[in-house]
Amino acid sequence: MAAKIQDIDDTPSLPMTGAAYLPGVAYDEMIAQGGDVRAHYAALQSRISTLGASELADRQRMLERSFLLQGITFTVYGADSATERIIPTDLFPRILPAQEWAKIEAGLTQRLQALNMFLADIYGEQQILMDGVVPRELVLGAPSYRREMQNLYVPHKAYANVCGSDLIRGQDGEFAVLEDNLRVPSGVSYMLANRDASKRTFPGAYREAGVRPVERYPDLLLATLKSMSADWRPNPQVVVLTPGVYNSAYYEHAYLARLMGVPLVEGRDLVVHDNMVYMRTTTGLRRVDVIYRRVDDDFIDPLTFRRDSSLGAAGLFNAYRAGNVVMCNAPGTGVADDKAVYAFVPDIIRYYLGEDAILPNIETFLCREPAQLSHVLDNLDKLVVKAVGASGGYGMLVGPHASAKERSEFADALKADPANYIAQPTIQLSTAPCLVDGRIEPRHVDLRPFILSGEKTVVTPGALTRVALKRGSLVVNSSQGGGSKDTWVLAEENGHNGNGHAEKGVAS
Amino acid sequence: MMLARVADSLYWLGRYIERAEHLSRLSTVMLNATLDQTDTGAEAVRIALSAVGETELSAGAFEAAKGLVLDRSDANSVVSSLSRARENARQVRDQITTETWERLNLLYLKVIDRNAGRDFADNSVTFLHDIIADVHLFKGAADTTMSHGESWRFMMVGMYLERAQLIASLLEACFAEGAPKVNDHLALVSLLRMGCALEPYLRVYTAEIEPRHILEFMVFDEDFPRSIRFATSQIEKHLSELARHVEATGRAAPERLAGRLKARLEFADVGELESQGAGELLTTVANECARIHQAIYETFVAYPLEMRLPA
């Protein structure tokens, strides 16, 4: 087939055969062990193999151009000026078959349900601490624990209304949860933008695969936010609170506000008077009922939290306490995604729901435990060590890829403040085909699906797949040079719209 | 109902867009006029530069035009205006349609491109022509895709207020007391071109190009979109619509100020202009526009909170 293409097209083709695309030891999303294309990738694979290198490069350029034009960018501050760049985006979607997704969906729903019960408990009776399931000092001593939230009523006990959990697929092909993001997770706009792009890039393969839509996310988000408002306010005014244009996720904030049809406010637009929150409009002050805040806890209210913050509004927290406004996510949810608490999530699920976790955790060593610390120190070259409170790929050591000097520096930091660190085995994240420098190559990926939780809990059938674009790199964070790609969740097995040809696409 | 800050950004978005278009046009006309071997070229350069407040005519026409267009250190250049327009648009990205945003973003990417300087040098007329055409696409996208509600109206007020002021200073450069008299036919044609007025003017007055008619046309014409009167009546119209929603109107309601200016232009006559000179009227226009701007702020954007708190 490859030769045939070459006759038509002068440029070398990029056949997606086992010979040209060589997955490494990790689980590959497209090619099974033995070199066969997995059934759910068949439609896409056959489409790609008819396209030459220049055609693919053109489509990639078109995709990047479209992101630049739409302003889907983040700001890089250089020596003399700030420039905007797009987040590297790969044109090949990552595909998940229906039954795999069903398990992910069930697992995430279960997990968020348990985490919300956990939050309600630790900000209430603290039964789980009294029963000794999670160490008291781990929770109450966590920097993200907010004493101010104690005994505060939260509708539906939904503390984390928007959650983005990071899943990875290990060498055995099973998904596991790497971390939960319950504070102000971002990336959902990339999920939606990537989808628009891949519909344009591979319309035929998209239609043939039978992909579940993600477009409903904004209206489901709005419904979730509205469900959090006091029911005596019939038509609640929802707003999105952003730190402003200089925030790296500003594009997303504006995007969600626009698609929900609600105002995008900054702290300086808000006024708190008599424990009510208002926004300054052209026609005077207007009451605000629900704030989807994309500002961290520390910055929402200078009277309650950081005094030097101008991103929130003075008095906001008191208005929240008084029940006159709702903040989503609730302040203090970060305590449930603390990397040390993470180790206890399977126990938390068992404690509240009496079930085993559907999605397993990654084995985690708590450095606060002396025995585990010494194990970690002995095996630094095999482990990934992370600071408990940090996120975005900062404060982290990837043992196998670090130099001896970096490891010994990290060891000192560990010994100085062991409670601040956890360690996990280095996992070979699964790989997916990506277009890199004109070649199709396997790159490590993770998966961030988005879960909404208010009156109901919903998982959007799609996700942001993050890609480590550097060869061999396992770090997918966009702040660390990672990129992203679209994720297709198939409606039915093998990706055919139930037309009875399911087996046809299987290359074997 | 919209956020006060958002109204402010939309208003400035309109102003900057208009400014970018106007400056691009001044530069085009200036460069074209200097192609011919006449003294008219120098006159066109003088008009254009004094219309934007520059009195020194040190550099040549090309350098002057390049400065007006691409000088990032000049807050009023085309590139600065477009950057600011886009920055304001980014602030209100949730209020303007994707179509509108994309037109502006495309234009912005074009003028900040590292090759912009070379493209301008290679073929400035095409470069400027494209900017103006892109601004028209932006305005068309805004007109046809945005809801003609509050957001759009604030943008329109900004656009027309800026236009009234720009045309007023263009005319001041030629007709104010003390300004050098422009009698040369080609220079007058350049003036009309700078106001994008040549073709519409010809349809009304034919090719008899006279200073008196130019003033009459660019100040008083009812239908010409770049006449001061037209711009003023648009400002008044949009402000009246916007004011309907504001319960507590300030002392200097902006729509009343605009209405007053509009009436003044409707009832003024050209004979008066001839005997007394246009300078006084043009100064009035500039001052009134500044007052309207101030009143817009007091009414919609920077009003004192005490007045608006619920009882």
Side-chain angles (χ1 to χ4, degrees), chain A residues 113-140:
Chain A
Q113 205 180 348
L115 287 174
N116 272 328
M117 290 169 86
F118 172 68
L119 285 161
D121 189 10
I122 61 163
Y123 288 123
E125 306 289 315
Q126 301 188 335
Q127 200 62 46
I128 196 168
L129 305 183
M130 282 187 268
D131 290 340
V133 177
V134 180
R136 180 178 292 270
E137 68 280 5
L138 199 73
V139 172
L140 304 185

Side-chain angles (χ1 to χ4, degrees), chain A residues 80 85 125 207 246 426:
Chain A
D80 49 353
R85 298 230 182 100
E125 306 289 315
R207 194 181 304 112
Y246 300 108
T426 316

Side-chain angles (χ1 to χ4, degrees), chain A residues 65-71 73 75 84 237 242 244-247 250-251 253-255 257-258 262-266 268-269 271 273 278-286, chain B residues 1-7 86-87 90-98 101-103 105-106 108-109 150 154 242 245-247 299-305 308-310:
Chain A
R65 179 85 194 137
S66 135
F67 272 63
L68 190 62
L69 184 55
Q70 288 175 66
T73 53
T75 311
E84 287 174 43
Q237 174 70 57
T242 175
V245 285
Y246 300 108
N247 186 274
Y250 178 78
Y251 168 77
H253 308 158
Y255 184 87
R258 184 160 45 92
V262 306
L264 177 67
V265 306
E266 294 179 17
R268 56 192 162 127
D269 298 318
V271 181
H273 179 72
Y278 300 91
M279 55 184 171
R280 295 175 67 115
T281 76
T282 50
T283 55
L285 298 179
R286 171 111 167 198
Chain B
M1 182 279 306
M2 66 193 304
L3 289 174
R5 174 178 56 80
V6 165
R86 194 234 187 206
E87 197 55 28
R90 226 157 82 77
Q91 297 261 10
V92 297
R93 183 61 190 85
D94 59 317
Q95 295 286 328
I96 56 176
T97 55
T98 297
W101 159 261
E102 287 191 357
R103 292 327 311 176
N105 195 35
L106 192 74
Y108 165 79
L109 294 172
E150 242 186 320
F154 271 108
L242 289 169
H245 309 285
V246 186
E247 64 277 13
T299 308
F300 299 106
V301 181
Y303 51 79
L305 285 183
R308 305 289 181 86
L309 280 173

Side-chain angles (χ1 to χ4, degrees), chain A residues 132-208:
Chain A
V133 177
V134 180
R136 180 178 292 270
E137 68 280 5
L138 199 73
V139 172
L140 304 185
S144 44
Y145 170 78
R146 299 273 171 233
R147 190 178 315 283
E148 297 84 354
M149 287 297 292
Q150 206 63 45
N151 297 320
L152 207 138
Y153 168 75
V154 172
H156 316 297
K157 296 191 173 170
Y159 284 74
N161 309 101
V162 180
C163 173
S165 288
D166 292 338
L167 307 184
I168 58 171
R169 199 205 281 271
Q171 252 160 321
D172 57 357
E174 291 301 314
F175 278 102
V177 180
L178 184 63
E179 64 181 48
D180 302 290
N181 294 288
L182 274 61
R183 300 165 206 221
V184 281
S186 55
V188 75
S189 61
Y190 292 99
M191 170 180 89
L192 296 165
N194 283 338
R195 175 56 54 87
D196 279 349
S198 75
K199 276 182 172 175
R200 267 179 288 134
T201 318
F202 295 112
Y206 183 84
R207 194 181 304 112
E208 203 185 335

Side-chain angles (χ1 to χ4, degrees), chain A residues 27 29 38-44 95-97 100 169 209 490 494-495:
Chain A
Y27 179 98
E29 299 285 336
R38 294 183 199 280
H40 58 276
Y41 259 97
L44 179 71
I95 307 178
L96 292 171
E100 272 183 2
R169 199 205 281 271
L490 304 187
N494 296 336

